Amino acid sequence: MNVQDKPASGNRAASPGGTYSGDHALQHEEPLIFERGRTDVSGVDIPDVEIGPRHLAGLERVGEIGIPGLSEPEAIRHYVRLSQLNAAIDTGFYPLGSCTMKHNPRLGEKVARFAGFADVHPLQPQRTVQGALALIAELARWLKELTGMPAVAMTPRAGAHGELCGIIAIRAALENRGDKRPIILVPESAHGTNPATAALCGFSVKSIKATGEGRVDLASLTQALSSQVAALMLTNPNTSGLFERDMIAIADALHAAGAYFYCDGANFNAIMGRVKPGDLGVDAMHINLHKTFSTPHGGGGPGAGPVVFSERLAPFAPLPLLVEDDRGFRLIEDSREAQPASPFGRMAAFHGQMGMFVRALAYMMSHGRDGLRQASGDAVLSANYILASLKDVISAPYDGSCMHEALFDDTFLKGTSITTLDVAKRLIDEGFHPMTVYFPLTVHGAMLVEPTESESKRTLDRFIAVMRGLAAEAISGDPAGFKQAPVFAPRRRLDETAAARNPVLRWKP
Amino acid sequence: MRYLPLNDDDRRAMLERIGVSSIDDLFRDVPASAREPQFDLPLHAGESEVERMLSRFALANTGAGECAFFCGAGAYRHHVPASVDYLIQRSEFLTSYTPYQPEISQGTLQTLFEFQTQVAAITAMEIANASMYDGSTGAAEAVLMAHRVTGRNRAVLSGNLHPHYADTIRTMAGLAGEIVVTPPVPGSADEISEQIDNNTSCVVVQNPDVFGSIRDLAPLAQVAHSKGALLVVVFTEAVSLGLVRPPGAMGADIVAGEGQSLGNALNFGGPYVGLFASRERFVRQMPGRLAGQTADVEGRRGFVLTLSAREQHIRREKATSNICTNSGLCALAFTIHLSLLGETGLRKLARLNHARAVTLAESLVAIPEVELATPAFFNEFTLRLPRPAAEVVETLAGRGVLAGVPASRLFPSHTGCENLLIVAATETNAESDIDLYRDELGGVLAR
Amino acid sequence: MDEIRFTESHEWLRMENGIATVGISRYAAEQLGDVVHIELPVPGKTLEKGAEAAVVESVKAASEIYAPVSGEVTAANRDLATGLGRISTEPEEAWLFRIRMSNPSEAERLMTRDQYRDYLKGL
């Protein structure tokens, strides 16, 4: 413990560009807090009070905990320097397909920190939180209106948690009618969360194939349907960036077979303000507030995944239920009070991701119905612009226009030794965050580009010019610039094999 | 629209390259019957207008800072240093995605590695993951993990586990096996050992429990282990780990805790951050992301997401969990707050919390007919009042005191909970808050 | 004489005295990339042909290994755990597990090396 910063060695690194410090101008090598901090230092001033043993029942913690502290200036510098090693939407184009990396308005950050939202406890008396409940109800109204669905469960904490909520509701509905159906159909191109969710709910997963044009094959779907099928989980627009033209026919076929239609709403950004999934026969759909409605991704979360339900599934929505009567808003937290509804249970402690709700509602109110429609239009326009500007040099697996994501494959790299991964790493050197690579799994060497509506034409044109340059260089016969990339990032390629073979998951003295 | 950079000239030029005449043409795959529906929603609004509309919602709530505040039961009001909130709003942390491209995500990855190390240290466990959604869903994942580790599928839950957690476990793990919940026993250990049989994968206990009681879990661990079951320890108050014997020192095999207390605001229940730790030999059965140390091609230390073959994006229906998005930014807030505190600060903070709770408890039990139901506690305890706690809480709310959480709100179907009030104190409570609470409660009960 | 046989799911197997030794083909190893972890069956376990017998993980993928024939597992190659690189460098030596065949005729229906080579061309 208390290993201090290694002093600068006094030896300039032998490699070109080496420095005595190991730093490079604005790019710093930052040690771990365990190498820099000390257990006797604290950056928070707290009075040291005496306590008696009376109420501790002899359970006092003994021995060193093993966590160092940093003074406030040291802490600020540590984390600011670490932040500078990250790519972010705020610093550059981030066309990560499937992830909807759009601009995060700072208004959301401001309003979410209002004391009336941030400094409110979930179990305060309900009459002291009428504003918070009203806000949840208002967001619920927007979500129901935008999706054309009659009910919404607000508590799921992320997209995959929303999927779980939807599939459990489907299971509850089937049980309610005494129907045991063991199978859920999932297209091969689906997000991994879909089969993982189905499995978590005790269903077996049956894969269904796509047509040559990248959409669900209605014939194979119909063939796969039986009294054993509980539901289909389908992303629309799908993971290849295409609208499932046969949505209504798919829904009809499912319903005729007694199955439910779960729609993965991960790509709702393409159609918000333009299409209501309820009009397409969907029974349940989660909405990733952190994608479509722009709550920041925060390096992996938090998100929120409210689930909208059709009339058929609405009675099974989880607790708590939010109702309004003449005394105001009220949470129903006990299933006995929920009748005639029969909620399947509870998704998580408390009432949902309030911090995300406030940000999402700020985003929706800012755009309004006209702005949301323009945003989805611009997102689709930008993706098609990239597709149209690159498809003569970078192979695209499917013909025609796309929705909000442009999908390419690695056919154009055939005969070179360059892979999709190499292209991604080279993009890092060009100052762009790479697109999503190797997803969907159905397309070889997939590159999924999602520009969102947040990029100027100038940025799109620069990206297009860079991609055209890379495509030309790739087939020129010299792969070096791809194979070595990245060379300008804080780190070169990292040895993921070593990391997985001998996992080092925590610092040890 | 201020968030949309394209103008009509741009759009025209782009449409021309694409070869269509309007954006609507790009939506021709949408079935005709579903095109251009009506939306009963307002038009766009300026920033000041939106701020005003949202202020109205905010002002209709009683913020914890406006009154003497003593609510806990799974969410705690602590002071968060100003630098924490500044740092998590750094663009490069706030607006980055999951660190799938490690070369340009070392900031997030290193903080996660530090977070994992801190979580392992405070829980006294061998390893920790990069966060779950929250404590309740983490507890459900712990049960599922115990099923995988043991090859069994029966979980026994302590009745003193937060009921929302028990309900979440029923929802998320109920489809994978049997869930048994013992009745709640405020103030003492419930009879959970007797429920452990040879098909039990785990026992789940909370410490401090939902009533605030602390207890030695080592004897329970011994019984569980002797029957081949794992001990899953849940906590909702991370600050307790600065003073109370940690789960790892009492034989825990998996720990699922709520990390909201450090770095994160109350937020009316979310977003929070799930802390998840276990023994190293179970690592391949763990849910969620893991940051691991490695080196780049020049031999420089760096960090990557590792052991991903456990996860849904690779393993699909055979994944250890369906979790994808986690609580990255809340984990960042947690780790920054804990780095500022350090060992010394965490211990002082924990002692201060305990001292405040002791002062509060002693001054409240001096009121006639008010009893302490939980003799051993950290910063939260349960009072037995002479009348239903929910009514008392409602009355006190009108007098500037949010007095705690009535147990009946959490255990609506258990008789015997009506008069119990769960009360938390933290470093944010001034002496004057405690005096006000004593005076008002005394006054209400005297009537 | 080359007694090796291959399956359509890219396992190889060699037979000796009624015992089949099983590994993954060079093609499968190349597709998978560097192996980082394996899960092997417990000796004594009985497997039906086509049942999931082992898992081979790389950084980016996890691949189930199916029993090419039915029988009882007699051995698992525990030594591989410390030399996972061998699965990439010498896949036909780096065996995973052995099965005492309960129905040796099942092996006759598997592909010879030439047949497997033709099969790969068609992929």
Side-chain angles (χ1 to χ4, degrees), chain B residues 213-284:
Chain B
S213 277
I214 53 174
R215 61 184 272 209
D216 184 5
L217 300 173
L220 179 61
Q222 210 164 23
V223 177
H225 293 158
S226 74
K227 297 200 173 163
L230 305 186
L231 176 65
V232 174
V233 177
V234 169
F235 60 86
T236 58
E237 172 52 291
V239 175
S240 66
L241 297 170
L243 180 62
V244 179
R245 193 177 302 163
M250 298 194 282
D253 299 288
I254 304 173
V255 175
E258 174 53 64
Q260 171 269 330
S261 284
L262 292 178
N264 289 278
L266 289 170
N267 284 328
F268 195 51
Y272 289 173
V273 50
L275 311 180
F276 197 97
S278 87
R279 295 184 188 276
E280 192 159 17
R281 65 174 186 271
F282 302 152
V283 65
R284 288 182 188 274

Side-chain angles (χ1 to χ4, degrees), chain A residues 125-275:
Chain A
Q126 294 191 28
R127 70 184 165 91
T128 67
V129 293
Q130 286 296 305
L133 298 178
L135 183 136
I136 295 175
E138 178 64 4
L139 179 62
R141 184 179 80 85
W142 279 77
L143 294 175
K144 288 185 286 188
E145 185 62 22
L146 283 168
T147 56
M149 305 280 274
V152 60
M154 296 298 287
T155 49
R157 294 201 181 269
H161 203 221
E163 290 177 30
L164 190 63
C165 177
I167 298 301
I168 296 174
I170 287 170
R171 205 184 157 108
L174 287 167
E175 270 168 18
N176 186 58
R177 68 181 201 215
D179 199 351
K180 279 206 162 83
R181 295 177 173 232
I183 298 170
I184 284 193
L185 305 176
V186 178
E188 286 176 326
S189 59
H191 295 114
T193 51
N194 292 176
T197 299
L200 193 51
C201 296
F203 290 101
S204 61
V205 175
K206 196 165 159 189
S207 230
I208 51 169
K209 291 206 178 302
T211 60
E213 45 172 38
R215 293 180 174 87
V216 167
D217 183 2
L218 194 54
S220 351
L221 173 72
T222 320
Q223 215 163 37
L225 283 175
S226 71
S227 61
Q228 299 296 294
V229 173
L232 167 72
M233 296 180 85
L234 177 65
T235 308
N236 185 45
N238 69 26
T239 56
S240 298
L242 306 172
F243 195 92
E244 293 285 354
R245 283 179 205 136
D246 295 330
M247 280 291 277
I248 293 174
I250 290 169
D252 289 346
L254 285 165
H255 294 152
Y260 292 92
F261 191 0
Y262 187 88
C263 184
D264 180 327
N267 292 340
F268 192 51
N269 198 49
I271 56 172
M272 64 171 180
R274 289 175 177 271
V275 180

Side-chain angles (χ1 to χ4, degrees), chain A residues 306-393:
Chain A
V307 182
V308 288
F309 286 118
S310 63
E311 294 287 1
R312 269 182 287 238
L313 292 180
F316 306 98
L319 296 172
L321 307 179
L322 180 56
V323 294
E324 186 180 12
D325 57 27
D326 50 358
R327 288 177 304 166
F329 290 96
R330 190 163 56 87
L331 286 167
I332 294 176
E333 297 172 300
D334 181 359
S335 57
R336 291 169 307 177
E337 289 174 31
Q339 287 169 356
S342 35
F344 66 68
R346 169 180 279 282
M347 288 304 296
F350 311 128
H351 334 301
Q353 303 281 74
M354 187 66 180
M356 288 26 251
F357 297 164
V358 180
R359 290 171 175 89
L361 187 59
Y363 178 90
M364 291 175 174
M365 286 176 160
S366 294
H367 279 82
R369 65 169 194 268
D370 53 333
L372 292 175
R373 185 177 186 281
Q374 185 67 61
S376 56
D378 282 0
V380 170
L381 174 67
S382 296
N384 276 285
Y385 182 61
I386 287 173
L387 183 63
S389 304
L390 291 179
K391 67 180 176 192
D392 59 325
V393 292

Side-chain angles (χ1 to χ4, degrees), chain C residues 1-111:
Chain C
M1 184 184 149
D2 195 359
E3 275 296 339
I4 197 163
R5 292 288 183 276
F6 293 88
T7 67
E8 290 182 1
S9 48
H10 309 288
E11 291 90 10
W12 59 257
L13 112 177
R14 283 198 175 92
M15 289 158 290
E16 199 174 347
N17 302 329
I19 306 258
T21 301
V22 181
I24 66 169
S25 74
R26 182 170 297 280
Y27 173 84
E30 281 168 7
Q31 292 292 308
L32 208 52
D34 287 338
V35 174
V36 298
H37 179 67
I38 50 172
E39 280 167 31
L40 298 173
V42 182
K45 190 175 180 183
T46 305
L47 294 168
E48 288 295 308
K49 175 179 157 71
E52 190 183 312
V55 179
V56 179
E57 278 180 26
S58 69
V59 170
K60 302 291 182 201
S63 186
E64 277 81 31
I65 309 303
Y66 303 100
V69 290
S70 308
E72 183 191 323
V73 177
T74 60
N77 190 356
R78 301 279 156 206
D79 295 344
L80 260 188
T82 51
L84 291 170
R86 289 182 56 217
I87 294 174
S88 308
T89 54
E90 40 178 4
E92 290 185 14
E93 299 302 319
W95 63 278
L96 299 172
F97 55 89
R98 295 199 165 109
I99 295 182
R100 186 188 313 281
M101 292 184 282
S102 56
N103 182 5
S105 67
E106 286 171 345
E108 288 163 21
R109 292 193 287 272
L110 301 177
M111 291 178 277

